[in-house]
Amino acid sequence: MRRPFRERVLNVVRKIPKGGSMTYKQVAGKAGNSNAARAVGGIMRTNRDPDIPCHRVIRSDGTLGGYNRGGAMRKRQLLSREGAL
DNA sequence: TAGTTGACCGGAA
DNA sequence: ATTCCGGCCAACT
């Protein structure tokens, strides 16, 4: 099904419960490609939807990774506030 | 159409 | 443990 990978990824991230975190690879896998972790990051970067808690998506190494609109610092605070830390 | 980029991953040095 | 290198994918110019 020719569905834009973008929408698929966003859809998955949107379903991430509060206090839960997913790695880029996990999201990519749910979107259909476990090897598209990089692409997922690129999508997140361009994405600007408040319904998409992209701050809940972290790297496989356990690090938070990057973030736009405040940087990793903001991301860490959001996760800490939700209890995902 | 082709080339470059990046919020990544995994393995090797 | 940290740093370097190649590889996969979608979006952007």
Side-chain angles (χ1 to χ4, degrees), chain A residues 5-62:
Chain A
F5 202 73
R6 236 168 51 9
E7 288 189 10
R8 250 177 148 190
V9 171
L10 296 173
N11 194 37
V12 173
V13 175
R14 190 193 305 175
K15 289 176 184 105
I16 298 179
K18 180 180 165 220
S21 47
M22 260 174 142
T23 70
Y24 289 96
K25 208 166 206 185
Q26 280 286 318
V27 176
K30 279 217 184 242
N33 287 310
S34 354
N35 304 29
R38 209 171 206 179
V40 172
I43 292 163
M44 291 292 156
R45 182 167 126 34
T46 58
N47 171 36
R48 249 245 219 162
D49 198 311
D51 296 313
I52 309 300
C54 25
H55 62 266
R56 289 188 191 151
V57 185
I58 61 175
R59 296 197 358 180
S60 305
D61 301 277

Short mmCIF file of all heavy atoms in Angstrom, two decimals, chain A residues 5-62:
data_model
loop_
_atom_site.label_atom_id
_atom_site.label_comp_id
_atom_site.label_asym_id
_atom_site.label_seq_id
_atom_site.Cartn_x
_atom_site.Cartn_y
_atom_site.Cartn_z
N PHE A 5 5.44 7.02 4.04
CA PHE A 5 6.10 6.55 5.25
C PHE A 5 5.88 7.58 6.36
O PHE A 5 5.73 7.24 7.52
CB PHE A 5 7.58 6.38 4.95
CG PHE A 5 8.23 5.44 5.89
CD1 PHE A 5 7.98 4.09 5.79
CD2 PHE A 5 9.07 5.90 6.88
CE1 PHE A 5 8.57 3.21 6.68
CE2 PHE A 5 9.66 5.03 7.76
CZ PHE A 5 9.42 3.68 7.66
N ARG A 6 5.86 8.82 5.97
CA ARG A 6 5.68 9.93 6.91
C ARG A 6 4.46 9.69 7.79
O ARG A 6 4.54 9.61 9.00
CB ARG A 6 5.49 11.21 6.11
CG ARG A 6 6.50 12.16 6.55
CD ARG A 6 6.71 13.36 5.77
NE ARG A 6 6.21 14.38 5.20
CZ ARG A 6 5.10 15.07 5.09
NH1 ARG A 6 4.11 14.82 5.50
NH2 ARG A 6 4.90 16.05 4.53
N GLU A 7 3.33 9.57 7.15
CA GLU A 7 2.08 9.42 7.91
C GLU A 7 2.13 8.20 8.80
O GLU A 7 1.62 8.19 9.92
CB GLU A 7 0.92 9.30 6.93
CG GLU A 7 0.67 10.65 6.28
CD GLU A 7 -0.62 10.61 5.46
OE1 GLU A 7 -1.36 9.61 5.58
OE2 GLU A 7 -0.86 11.56 4.71
N ARG A 8 2.72 7.15 8.27
CA ARG A 8 2.76 5.90 9.03
C ARG A 8 3.56 6.12 10.31
O ARG A 8 3.17 5.75 11.39
CB ARG A 8 3.41 4.85 8.21
CG ARG A 8 2.25 3.98 7.91
CD ARG A 8 2.47 2.89 7.09
NE ARG A 8 1.55 1.97 7.60
CZ ARG A 8 1.68 0.77 7.14
NH1 ARG A 8 2.62 0.51 6.32
NH2 ARG A 8 0.91 -0.06 7.49
N VAL A 9 4.71 6.69 10.18
CA VAL A 9 5.57 6.94 11.34
C VAL A 9 4.86 7.84 12.34
O VAL A 9 4.80 7.57 13.53
CB VAL A 9 6.89 7.59 10.89
CG1 VAL A 9 7.70 8.06 12.09
CG2 VAL A 9 7.69 6.61 10.06
N LEU A 10 4.28 8.90 11.83
CA LEU A 10 3.58 9.84 12.71
C LEU A 10 2.46 9.13 13.45
O LEU A 10 2.23 9.34 14.63
CB LEU A 10 3.00 10.98 11.87
CG LEU A 10 4.08 11.83 11.18
CD1 LEU A 10 3.44 12.81 10.24
CD2 LEU A 10 4.92 12.54 12.21
N ASN A 11 1.79 8.27 12.74
CA ASN A 11 0.68 7.53 13.34
C ASN A 11 1.17 6.67 14.50
O ASN A 11 0.54 6.60 15.56
CB ASN A 11 0.05 6.66 12.25
CG ASN A 11 -1.29 6.14 12.69
OD1 ASN A 11 -2.03 6.85 13.36
ND2 ASN A 11 -1.60 4.93 12.33
N VAL A 12 2.30 6.00 14.29
CA VAL A 12 2.86 5.14 15.34
C VAL A 12 3.28 5.97 16.54
O VAL A 12 2.94 5.65 17.68
CB VAL A 12 4.09 4.39 14.79
CG1 VAL A 12 4.79 3.63 15.91
CG2 VAL A 12 3.67 3.44 13.68
N VAL A 13 3.98 7.04 16.30
CA VAL A 13 4.46 7.89 17.40
C VAL A 13 3.27 8.43 18.18
O VAL A 13 3.30 8.56 19.39
CB VAL A 13 5.32 9.04 16.85
CG1 VAL A 13 5.73 9.98 17.97
CG2 VAL A 13 6.55 8.48 16.15
N ARG A 14 2.23 8.74 17.46
CA ARG A 14 1.03 9.29 18.10
C ARG A 14 0.44 8.31 19.08
O ARG A 14 -0.15 8.69 20.08
CB ARG A 14 0.01 9.59 17.01
CG ARG A 14 -1.15 10.39 17.58
CD ARG A 14 -2.31 10.42 16.60
NE ARG A 14 -1.86 10.91 15.31
CZ ARG A 14 -2.67 10.94 14.24
NH1 ARG A 14 -3.91 10.55 14.35
NH2 ARG A 14 -2.25 11.37 13.11
N LYS A 15 0.65 7.02 18.83
CA LYS A 15 0.07 5.98 19.70
C LYS A 15 0.95 5.67 20.90
O LYS A 15 0.59 4.83 21.72
CB LYS A 15 -0.12 4.72 18.88
CG LYS A 15 -1.23 4.87 17.88
CD LYS A 15 -1.29 3.61 17.02
CE LYS A 15 -2.33 3.78 15.94
NZ LYS A 15 -1.72 4.02 14.64
N ILE A 16 2.07 6.32 20.99
CA ILE A 16 2.94 6.04 22.15
C ILE A 16 2.27 6.58 23.41
O ILE A 16 1.93 7.75 23.49
CB ILE A 16 4.31 6.73 21.96
CG1 ILE A 16 5.01 6.17 20.72
CG2 ILE A 16 5.17 6.49 23.20
CD1 ILE A 16 6.35 6.84 20.45
N PRO A 17 2.06 5.69 24.40
CA PRO A 17 1.40 6.10 25.65
C PRO A 17 2.28 7.01 26.49
O PRO A 17 3.50 6.97 26.37
CB PRO A 17 1.15 4.76 26.37
CG PRO A 17 2.21 3.84 25.84
CD PRO A 17 2.50 4.30 24.44
N LYS A 18 1.64 7.75 27.34
CA LYS A 18 2.39 8.65 28.22
C LYS A 18 3.25 7.84 29.18
O LYS A 18 2.82 6.85 29.73
CB LYS A 18 1.40 9.51 28.99
CG LYS A 18 2.12 10.44 29.91
CD LYS A 18 1.12 11.30 30.66
CE LYS A 18 1.82 11.94 31.81
NZ LYS A 18 1.04 11.98 32.98
N GLY A 19 4.48 8.26 29.37
CA GLY A 19 5.39 7.54 30.24
C GLY A 19 6.11 6.42 29.49
O GLY A 19 6.93 5.73 30.05
N GLY A 20 5.77 6.24 28.21
CA GLY A 20 6.42 5.19 27.41
C GLY A 20 7.36 5.80 26.39
O GLY A 20 7.11 6.88 25.88
N SER A 21 8.42 5.12 26.11
CA SER A 21 9.37 5.65 25.12
C SER A 21 9.70 4.58 24.08
O SER A 21 9.74 3.40 24.40
CB SER A 21 10.63 6.09 25.85
OG SER A 21 11.05 5.09 26.75
N MET A 22 9.93 4.99 22.87
CA MET A 22 10.23 4.05 21.79
C MET A 22 11.50 4.48 21.07
O MET A 22 11.73 5.67 20.88
CB MET A 22 9.10 4.06 20.80
CG MET A 22 8.19 2.88 21.04
SD MET A 22 6.78 3.00 19.98
CE MET A 22 6.60 1.31 19.59
N THR A 23 12.26 3.51 20.63
CA THR A 23 13.48 3.86 19.89
C THR A 23 13.10 4.11 18.43
O THR A 23 12.07 3.65 17.95
CB THR A 23 14.49 2.71 19.97
OG1 THR A 23 14.01 1.63 19.20
CG2 THR A 23 14.73 2.31 21.39
N TYR A 24 13.93 4.84 17.74
CA TYR A 24 13.67 5.15 16.33
C TYR A 24 13.50 3.85 15.55
O TYR A 24 12.68 3.76 14.65
CB TYR A 24 14.82 5.96 15.76
CG TYR A 24 14.86 7.36 16.29
CD1 TYR A 24 15.67 7.69 17.36
CD2 TYR A 24 14.05 8.35 15.74
CE1 TYR A 24 15.70 8.98 17.86
CE2 TYR A 24 14.07 9.64 16.24
CZ TYR A 24 14.90 9.95 17.30
OH TYR A 24 14.92 11.22 17.79
N LYS A 25 14.29 2.88 15.89
CA LYS A 25 14.22 1.61 15.18
C LYS A 25 12.89 0.95 15.43
O LYS A 25 12.28 0.38 14.54
CB LYS A 25 15.34 0.72 15.65
CG LYS A 25 15.70 -0.22 14.55
CD LYS A 25 16.98 -0.88 14.84
CE LYS A 25 17.63 -1.27 13.56
NZ LYS A 25 18.80 -2.01 13.92
N GLN A 26 12.41 0.99 16.64
CA GLN A 26 11.12 0.39 16.96
C GLN A 26 10.02 1.06 16.16
O GLN A 26 9.18 0.41 15.57
CB GLN A 26 10.84 0.58 18.46
CG GLN A 26 11.58 -0.43 19.31
CD GLN A 26 10.95 -1.80 19.20
OE1 GLN A 26 9.73 -1.93 19.20
NE2 GLN A 26 11.75 -2.82 19.07
N VAL A 27 10.05 2.37 16.14
CA VAL A 27 9.03 3.12 15.39
C VAL A 27 9.13 2.76 13.91
O VAL A 27 8.12 2.49 13.26
CB VAL A 27 9.26 4.63 15.58
CG1 VAL A 27 8.28 5.42 14.71
CG2 VAL A 27 9.08 4.99 17.04
N ALA A 28 10.35 2.74 13.41
CA ALA A 28 10.55 2.40 11.99
C ALA A 28 9.99 1.01 11.71
O ALA A 28 9.31 0.80 10.70
CB ALA A 28 12.04 2.46 11.67
N GLY A 29 10.26 0.08 12.61
CA GLY A 29 9.75 -1.29 12.44
C GLY A 29 8.23 -1.30 12.41
O GLY A 29 7.61 -1.94 11.57
N LYS A 30 7.60 -0.57 13.28
CA LYS A 30 6.13 -0.53 13.33
C LYS A 30 5.60 0.14 12.08
O LYS A 30 4.50 -0.13 11.61
CB LYS A 30 5.70 0.23 14.57
CG LYS A 30 5.76 -0.71 15.75
CD LYS A 30 4.60 -0.41 16.69
CE LYS A 30 4.66 -1.23 17.93
NZ LYS A 30 3.55 -2.09 18.13
N ALA A 31 6.39 1.06 11.55
CA ALA A 31 5.97 1.78 10.34
C ALA A 31 6.12 0.88 9.12
O ALA A 31 5.47 1.12 8.10
CB ALA A 31 6.81 3.03 10.19
N GLY A 32 6.94 -0.16 9.25
CA GLY A 32 7.08 -1.07 8.13
C GLY A 32 8.54 -1.36 7.77
O GLY A 32 8.82 -2.34 7.13
N ASN A 33 9.46 -0.52 8.18
CA ASN A 33 10.88 -0.74 7.85
C ASN A 33 11.76 -0.60 9.08
O ASN A 33 11.94 0.49 9.58
CB ASN A 33 11.34 0.29 6.80
CG ASN A 33 10.75 -0.04 5.45
OD1 ASN A 33 10.83 -1.17 4.99
ND2 ASN A 33 10.14 0.93 4.83
N SER A 34 12.30 -1.70 9.54
CA SER A 34 13.16 -1.63 10.73
C SER A 34 14.50 -0.98 10.41
O SER A 34 15.28 -0.72 11.29
CB SER A 34 13.39 -3.03 11.28
OG SER A 34 12.62 -3.95 10.59
N ASN A 35 14.76 -0.77 9.13
CA ASN A 35 16.05 -0.17 8.75
C ASN A 35 15.91 1.31 8.44
O ASN A 35 16.83 1.94 7.96
CB ASN A 35 16.59 -0.86 7.51
CG ASN A 35 16.70 -2.35 7.71
OD1 ASN A 35 15.95 -2.94 8.47
ND2 ASN A 35 17.63 -2.95 7.05
N ALA A 36 14.74 1.82 8.67
CA ALA A 36 14.50 3.23 8.31
C ALA A 36 14.58 4.15 9.51
O ALA A 36 13.96 5.20 9.54
CB ALA A 36 13.14 3.33 7.65
N ALA A 37 15.37 3.75 10.48
CA ALA A 37 15.48 4.57 11.69
C ALA A 37 15.93 5.98 11.32
O ALA A 37 15.44 6.97 11.87
CB ALA A 37 16.48 3.93 12.64
N ARG A 38 16.85 6.06 10.39
CA ARG A 38 17.37 7.37 9.99
C ARG A 38 16.26 8.20 9.36
O ARG A 38 16.09 9.38 9.65
CB ARG A 38 18.49 7.18 8.98
CG ARG A 38 19.44 8.30 9.06
CD ARG A 38 20.67 8.00 8.21
NE ARG A 38 21.78 8.71 8.73
CZ ARG A 38 22.97 8.64 8.22
NH1 ARG A 38 23.20 7.86 7.22
NH2 ARG A 38 23.92 9.31 8.73
N ALA A 39 15.52 7.58 8.50
CA ALA A 39 14.44 8.30 7.82
C ALA A 39 13.43 8.80 8.85
O ALA A 39 12.91 9.91 8.74
CB ALA A 39 13.76 7.36 6.84
N VAL A 40 13.18 8.00 9.87
CA VAL A 40 12.23 8.41 10.92
C VAL A 40 12.70 9.72 11.55
O VAL A 40 11.92 10.65 11.74
CB VAL A 40 12.12 7.32 12.00
CG1 VAL A 40 11.29 7.82 13.17
CG2 VAL A 40 11.49 6.07 11.41
N GLY A 41 13.98 9.76 11.86
CA GLY A 41 14.52 11.00 12.44
C GLY A 41 14.27 12.18 11.53
O GLY A 41 13.84 13.25 11.98
N GLY A 42 14.52 11.97 10.25
CA GLY A 42 14.31 13.08 9.30
C GLY A 42 12.87 13.52 9.26
O GLY A 42 12.56 14.71 9.18
N ILE A 43 11.98 12.55 9.36
CA ILE A 43 10.55 12.89 9.35
C ILE A 43 10.19 13.69 10.59
O ILE A 43 9.49 14.70 10.52
CB ILE A 43 9.73 11.59 9.30
CG1 ILE A 43 9.93 10.92 7.94
CG2 ILE A 43 8.26 11.90 9.51
CD1 ILE A 43 9.49 9.47 7.95
N MET A 44 10.66 13.24 11.72
CA MET A 44 10.39 13.94 12.99
C MET A 44 10.86 15.38 12.89
O MET A 44 10.20 16.29 13.33
CB MET A 44 11.15 13.25 14.11
CG MET A 44 10.61 11.90 14.40
SD MET A 44 9.00 12.05 15.09
CE MET A 44 8.32 10.51 14.68
N ARG A 45 12.03 15.55 12.32
CA ARG A 45 12.63 16.89 12.22
C ARG A 45 11.71 17.83 11.46
O ARG A 45 11.48 18.96 11.85
CB ARG A 45 13.97 16.76 11.51
CG ARG A 45 14.65 18.05 11.42
CD ARG A 45 16.04 17.87 11.03
NE ARG A 45 16.68 18.45 10.01
CZ ARG A 45 16.63 19.60 9.42
NH1 ARG A 45 15.70 20.39 9.53
NH2 ARG A 45 17.50 19.95 8.67
N THR A 46 11.15 17.32 10.36
CA THR A 46 10.28 18.17 9.54
C THR A 46 8.88 18.25 10.14
O THR A 46 8.17 19.21 9.92
CB THR A 46 10.21 17.60 8.11
OG1 THR A 46 9.71 16.27 8.19
CG2 THR A 46 11.58 17.59 7.48
N ASN A 47 8.52 17.27 10.88
CA ASN A 47 7.17 17.23 11.45
C ASN A 47 6.98 18.35 12.49
O ASN A 47 7.85 18.69 13.22
CB ASN A 47 6.94 15.87 12.11
CG ASN A 47 5.66 15.88 12.89
OD1 ASN A 47 4.70 16.50 12.47
ND2 ASN A 47 5.65 15.22 14.00
N ARG A 48 5.78 18.86 12.50
CA ARG A 48 5.52 19.98 13.44
C ARG A 48 4.16 19.82 14.08
O ARG A 48 3.52 20.77 14.47
CB ARG A 48 5.55 21.24 12.61
CG ARG A 48 6.80 21.94 13.07
CD ARG A 48 6.60 23.15 13.71
NE ARG A 48 7.69 23.93 13.19
CZ ARG A 48 7.57 25.23 13.33
NH1 ARG A 48 6.53 25.74 13.84
NH2 ARG A 48 8.51 25.92 12.99
N ASP A 49 3.70 18.61 14.20
CA ASP A 49 2.36 18.35 14.71
C ASP A 49 2.37 18.15 16.24
O ASP A 49 3.11 17.32 16.74
CB ASP A 49 1.83 17.10 14.00
CG ASP A 49 0.33 17.04 14.13
OD1 ASP A 49 -0.15 17.20 15.25
OD2 ASP A 49 -0.34 16.83 13.12
N PRO A 50 1.57 18.88 16.99
CA PRO A 50 1.52 18.75 18.45
C PRO A 50 0.92 17.43 18.88
O PRO A 50 1.12 16.99 20.01
CB PRO A 50 0.64 19.93 18.89
CG PRO A 50 -0.19 20.27 17.70
CD PRO A 50 0.62 19.88 16.50
N ASP A 51 0.20 16.77 17.98
CA ASP A 51 -0.39 15.46 18.33
C ASP A 51 0.69 14.38 18.31
O ASP A 51 0.44 13.25 18.70
CB ASP A 51 -1.48 15.10 17.32
CG ASP A 51 -2.63 16.11 17.41
OD1 ASP A 51 -3.05 16.41 18.52
OD2 ASP A 51 -3.06 16.57 16.36
N ILE A 52 1.85 14.73 17.81
CA ILE A 52 2.92 13.75 17.71
C ILE A 52 3.96 13.99 18.80
O ILE A 52 4.79 14.87 18.69
CB ILE A 52 3.60 13.85 16.34
CG1 ILE A 52 2.56 13.82 15.22
CG2 ILE A 52 4.61 12.74 16.16
CD1 ILE A 52 1.73 12.56 15.19
N PRO A 53 3.90 13.19 19.86
CA PRO A 53 4.88 13.33 20.97
C PRO A 53 6.25 12.81 20.55
O PRO A 53 6.72 11.79 21.05
CB PRO A 53 4.28 12.50 22.09
CG PRO A 53 3.45 11.45 21.39
CD PRO A 53 2.97 12.08 20.11
N CYS A 54 6.87 13.49 19.63
CA CYS A 54 8.16 13.01 19.11
C CYS A 54 9.20 12.96 20.21
O CYS A 54 10.22 12.32 20.08
CB CYS A 54 8.61 13.91 17.96
SG CYS A 54 7.95 15.55 18.02
N HIS A 55 8.98 13.64 21.30
CA HIS A 55 9.96 13.63 22.38
C HIS A 55 10.00 12.27 23.08
O HIS A 55 10.89 12.00 23.87
CB HIS A 55 9.63 14.74 23.38
CG HIS A 55 8.32 14.59 24.04
ND1 HIS A 55 7.17 15.19 23.56
CD2 HIS A 55 7.98 13.88 25.13
CE1 HIS A 55 6.17 14.85 24.37
NE2 HIS A 55 6.63 14.06 25.32
N ARG A 56 9.04 11.42 22.77
CA ARG A 56 9.03 10.08 23.38
C ARG A 56 9.84 9.09 22.55
O ARG A 56 9.95 7.93 22.89
CB ARG A 56 7.60 9.60 23.50
CG ARG A 56 6.88 10.39 24.58
CD ARG A 56 5.50 9.78 24.83
NE ARG A 56 4.75 10.71 25.66
CZ ARG A 56 3.44 10.79 25.62
NH1 ARG A 56 2.75 10.05 24.80
NH2 ARG A 56 2.84 11.63 26.39
N VAL A 57 10.35 9.58 21.44
CA VAL A 57 11.16 8.71 20.58
C VAL A 57 12.64 8.98 20.87
O VAL A 57 13.11 10.10 20.74
CB VAL A 57 10.86 9.00 19.11
CG1 VAL A 57 11.61 8.04 18.22
CG2 VAL A 57 9.37 8.93 18.85
N ILE A 58 13.34 7.92 21.26
CA ILE A 58 14.76 8.06 21.62
C ILE A 58 15.61 7.08 20.82
O ILE A 58 15.08 6.24 20.10
CB ILE A 58 14.95 7.80 23.12
CG1 ILE A 58 14.51 6.40 23.46
CG2 ILE A 58 14.19 8.83 23.91
CD1 ILE A 58 14.77 6.02 24.89
N ARG A 59 16.91 7.16 20.98
CA ARG A 59 17.80 6.28 20.24
C ARG A 59 17.91 4.91 20.90
O ARG A 59 17.54 4.74 22.05
CB ARG A 59 19.18 6.91 20.16
CG ARG A 59 19.09 8.15 19.37
CD ARG A 59 20.41 8.69 18.86
NE ARG A 59 21.57 7.98 19.23
CZ ARG A 59 22.75 8.37 18.84
NH1 ARG A 59 22.85 9.48 18.11
NH2 ARG A 59 23.80 7.73 19.15
N SER A 60 18.45 3.96 20.17
CA SER A 60 18.59 2.59 20.69
C SER A 60 19.66 2.52 21.76
O SER A 60 19.65 1.62 22.59
CB SER A 60 18.96 1.66 19.55
OG SER A 60 18.01 1.78 18.53
N ASP A 61 20.58 3.45 21.73
CA ASP A 61 21.66 3.45 22.71
C ASP A 61 21.15 3.86 24.09
O ASP A 61 21.85 3.74 25.08
CB ASP A 61 22.75 4.45 22.30
CG ASP A 61 23.29 4.07 20.94
OD1 ASP A 61 24.17 3.21 20.87
OD2 ASP A 61 22.81 4.65 19.95
N GLY A 62 19.95 4.38 24.14
CA GLY A 62 19.41 4.84 25.41
C GLY A 62 19.52 6.35 25.54
O GLY A 62 18.91 6.94 26.41
#
